[in-house]
Amino acid sequence: MKAISLWQPWASLIACGAKPFETRHWAPPRDLIGQPIAIHAAKKIDKGAAAFAEELMYGQHRPGGFELADKLATSMKGTPDELLGTFGQATMPIGCVVCIARRDAAFQLGEPAEGTAVPAATVVQRITSRQMPECFTVRYDDFGDYAPGRWAWLLRDAQPLKPPVPMKGQQGFFDLPQGWLTERASPRQHQQGQRGIPHDRQKRPEE
């Protein structure tokens, strides 16, 4: 199976089903459209992700709020301490495959669409695994760069792995080793105390 390593908040948002599109400046290979792909959370922590991770996990992101925080926490449940990275006062999985999703389509984006109920981008080119309406547009959100010319990869049916599978990531697409899905965290790791994931309606320590 192919995998792709993503910025940690993006990987976690895909795992919980809140991020349907991964945006890139390039189109994915056509033979991967319609195929499952493993989503890997990068191990190296970007310091710039801390404020965003805290916003997500403390229910402060709009839209979404506490409902989004709860979805994220549920998708991370059972993650061993050693696979959790610290992002300010929040934690997220790092250095592991967090879910498997189906790459359903890819759309090259155009200018903003007119007359849509919500802000969205027009589509100038598409690669799909099934028939879709010609008037299909890509809704803007806070979880990607939807500038004209870029590509939005549609990810569906995300299935979180509980626990995530430790894995070394690489740039671009990479192949996972045979039998990788059976290399889960050991029962002993589950018996060890889990690092708390701040979310729900908790207050931050300084509040």
Side-chain angles (χ1 to χ4, degrees):
M1 180 181 290
K2 294 285 186 181
I4 191 165
S5 188
L6 305 180
W7 194 49
Q8 298 89 356
W10 285 178
S12 294
L13 285 163
I14 290 173
C16 78
K19 178 176 161 61
F21 293 102
E22 169 63 12
T23 59
R24 296 285 171 123
H25 69 276
W26 46 281
R30 288 181 177 271
D31 61 357
L32 292 184
I33 299 299
Q35 301 300 314
I37 186 170
I39 303 299
H40 178 272
K43 186 170 184 179
K44 183 178 180 181
I45 297 178
D46 180 351
K47 294 181 180 179
F52 186 55
E54 287 182 335
E55 180 182 281
L56 292 169
M57 299 307 298
Y58 279 97
Q60 301 304 301
H61 186 78
R62 294 291 184 272
F66 289 116
E67 182 180 354
L68 175 57
D70 289 340
K71 287 182 179 179
L72 282 163
T74 298
S75 71
M76 299 177 194
K77 188 175 181 180
T79 303
D81 285 353
E82 58 268 30
L83 296 182
L84 287 172
T86 301
F87 297 80
Q89 295 166 17
T91 57
M92 283 187 168
I94 62 170
C96 56
V97 175
V98 295
C99 72
I100 297 173
R102 179 164 55 88
R103 189 180 304 281
D104 200 33
F107 305 100
Q108 188 175 34
L109 306 174
E111 299 297 327
E114 297 181 0
T116 55
V118 295
T122 57
V123 171
V124 297
Q125 188 178 171
R126 67 184 65 199
I127 310 172
T128 63
S129 62
R130 57 189 172 87
Q131 187 173 1
M132 292 184 176
E134 288 300 320
C135 61
F136 193 91
T137 59
V138 173
R139 181 176 179 175
Y140 295 127
D141 60 30
D142 298 332
F143 307 143
D145 181 352
Y146 295 88
R150 291 177 62 83
W151 285 82
W153 304 349
L154 178 59
L155 301 169
R156 295 171 57 89
D157 306 325
Q159 300 295 324
L161 299 183
K162 298 182 180 181
V165 179
M167 190 71 60
K168 182 178 180 181
Q170 300 177 36
Q171 290 187 343
F173 292 108
F174 60 96
D175 292 311
L176 295 174
Q178 186 174 4
W180 69 276
L181 199 54
T182 62
E183 297 176 3
R184 302 294 188 91
S186 68
R188 180 182 178 184
Q189 292 171 335
H190 289 291
Q191 295 170 2
Q192 296 173 351
Q194 298 289 326
R195 193 182 311 173
I197 300 178
H199 76 294
D200 207 352
R201 291 146 184 82
Q202 302 175 21
K203 290 186 177 180
R204 302 189 190 193
E206 69 271 16
E207 292 180 339

